[in-house]
Amino acid sequence: MINKEKVIVLIGPTAVGKTNTSIELAKRFNGEIISGDSMQIYKKMDIGTAKITVEEMDGVPHHLIDIKEPDESFSVAEFQQLVRKKITDIHSRGKLPFIVGGTGLYIQAVLYDYQFTETPGDEGYRVALERDLASKGSQWLHEKLEKIDPAAAQNIHRNNTRRVIRALEIHHCTGKTMTEYQEAQSQELLYDVALVGLTMDRERLYERIDLRVDLMMDQGLIQEVKGLYESGLRNVQSVQAIGYKELYDYFDGTVSLDKAVENLKQNSRRYAKRQLTWFRNKMDVSWFDVTIKDSHTKIIEDISEFIAGKLQLKSNK
């Protein structure tokens, strides 16, 4: 039997506290952290993506942060390829890779034998959909997907038009929905994985999300987004992210600033709900409830014990 590379994965909804927990765990297990967030790859997008600072890293090496310009696209397949190389690289230096983030499909694609090269495409159909998007809008496009593949429509936000179009294209080319295509993929784990999830009382989580948005505004989110807006960056993947598209609406003059911030909070809460649904339905996660702040030390101990037992490791405690 081939020994699989060991990987620790820490997932959970936005604002649940993954960053601090991951640093503490990485120190205990001589780890390096690979960002599993599809938006922290972008430069100049720090506040809105809650990107970890150098100070917060506290000496723990981090990978796949600030590797793309905001006008560049980034696919699940590219993420899969980059992360797998990083896992091998980190192991080669005697360290343990931690994948930390909240983008479920991206993380799933790394851990399982997902074959993206086999997915067919049709450029003509894609261009036609892009024309429809321009004339009829993202809501119309999303409703088209909802009729064909309700499960995919549930998981893909209507403003993520690139993925909506891709889901429609897969169905057009194969007669199968994206959901059917994903379910047909191999369910065998490629790595020896300890899959840890952080969860929290829903009401408390939503309070934290709202507070985080207020903090982002205090830290200068509006100036960060204004810089991207005034640079002429439009209709690209990066600014479809929550935190950016809402403020773009404000700069476009379609909503007030108060309404934009309210939309940002609401979209963040909805995203957290979708993240939890994805993780619970698609991945075999061992969950740890972090609602009670006073029990943080115990939670770290419990998670460390779980990881050590699952992967036969010793911590540096």
Side-chain angles (χ1 to χ4, degrees):
M1 181 182 168
I2 299 169
N3 281 334
K4 295 178 179 178
E5 291 171 315
K6 296 180 191 296
V7 177
I8 297 165
V9 179
L10 182 68
I11 60 174
T14 186
V16 79
K18 296 184 294 293
T19 299
N20 291 340
T21 303
S22 67
I23 296 295
E24 291 188 52
L25 292 172
K27 286 180 173 180
R28 288 193 175 213
F29 290 97
N30 195 24
E32 295 189 9
I33 292 172
I34 303 168
S35 171
D37 186 295
S38 62
M39 288 296 156
Q40 291 190 0
I41 58 155
Y42 288 112
K43 299 171 186 176
K44 303 173 192 167
M45 295 175 63
D46 303 333
I47 299 169
T49 63
K51 196 177 289 172
I52 190 168
T53 64
V54 173
E55 291 75 25
E56 287 170 334
M57 289 180 189
D58 203 15
V60 175
H62 279 64
H63 306 273
L64 264 59
I65 292 174
D66 289 341
I67 62 167
K68 291 274 186 181
E69 295 296 336
D71 62 350
E72 293 182 282
S73 63
F74 189 62
S75 68
V76 187
E78 189 178 353
F79 177 82
Q80 180 194 63
Q81 187 179 28
L82 288 171
V83 174
R84 287 179 179 173
K85 282 181 182 172
K86 286 291 181 189
I87 288 170
T88 300
D89 172 56
I90 292 167
H91 270 290
S92 74
R93 290 184 275 103
K95 298 290 194 77
L96 196 61
F98 279 70
I99 303 174
V100 179
T103 310
L105 177 63
Y106 279 57
I107 293 170
Q108 195 178 19
V110 170
L111 301 180
Y112 295 91
D113 190 18
Y114 266 39
Q115 304 290 335
F116 289 102
T117 52
E118 295 170 8
T119 317
D122 180 336
E123 190 175 352
Y125 181 73
R126 190 161 60 248
V127 169
L129 287 176
E130 285 164 358
R131 279 200 298 267
D132 286 339
L133 170 63
S135 63
K136 299 174 183 175
S138 59
Q139 183 67 36
W140 179 88
L141 197 70
H142 195 263
E143 285 171 2
K144 183 178 173 73
L145 176 61
E146 206 163 21
K147 289 171 189 165
I148 292 167
D149 187 356
Q154 174 71 24
N155 285 315
I156 304 171
H157 193 275
R158 68 180 174 86
N159 287 331
N160 192 346
T161 54
R162 188 183 57 85
R163 280 198 65 214
V164 173
I165 287 172
R166 186 69 186 115
L168 289 167
E169 187 183 10
I170 287 171
H171 181 260
H172 170 76
C173 292
T174 67
K176 290 183 178 179
T177 64
M178 178 184 264
T179 302
E180 287 170 335
Y181 188 82
Q182 288 172 352
E183 285 171 353
Q185 296 276 12
S186 170
Q187 292 304 301
E188 184 189 350
L189 281 165
L190 298 180
Y191 300 96
D192 189 6
V193 180
L195 189 50
V196 175
L198 302 184
T199 186
M200 181 179 281
D201 172 76
R202 189 69 58 90
E203 196 174 319
R204 174 74 181 124
L205 179 64
Y206 288 173
E207 283 174 10
R208 283 174 61 99
I209 288 169
D210 289 351
L211 283 169
R212 173 186 268 191
V213 172
D214 291 336
L215 180 60
M216 285 176 174
M217 294 301 291
D218 291 344
Q219 289 171 332
L221 178 61
I222 195 160
Q223 288 81 10
E224 179 173 281
V225 181
K226 190 176 185 181
L228 297 170
Y229 184 87
E230 291 184 342
S231 74
L233 199 68
R234 311 285 292 183
N235 302 318
V236 294
Q237 186 177 341
S238 61
V239 295
Q240 299 301 323
I242 295 169
Y244 296 85
K245 56 188 170 63
E246 294 85 2
L247 288 175
Y248 260 58
D249 289 342
Y250 163 64
F251 291 125
D252 281 339
T254 57
V255 297
S256 67
L257 181 58
D258 285 348
K259 181 61 177 171
V261 173
E262 183 188 321
N263 290 343
L264 171 46
K265 289 178 177 179
Q266 185 181 61
N267 288 337
S268 297
R269 293 192 298 267
R270 285 174 176 168
Y271 178 57
K273 189 177 179 181
R274 288 199 306 275
Q275 284 175 302
L276 283 165
T277 301
W278 175 279
F279 294 138
R280 288 186 170 133
N281 291 345
K282 303 277 188 181
M283 303 173 85
D284 185 18
V285 182
S286 295
W287 292 98
F288 293 84
D289 193 315
V290 295
T291 303
I292 304 166
K293 195 175 180 183
D294 294 343
S295 64
H296 182 71
T297 305
K298 183 177 186 312
I299 288 161
I300 294 294
E301 293 293 340
D302 290 347
I303 296 173
S304 298
E305 193 177 312
F306 166 75
I307 290 170
K310 187 86 169 61
L311 301 181
Q312 280 80 56
L313 295 169
K314 288 185 180 177
S315 74
N316 299 329
K317 182 189 159 188

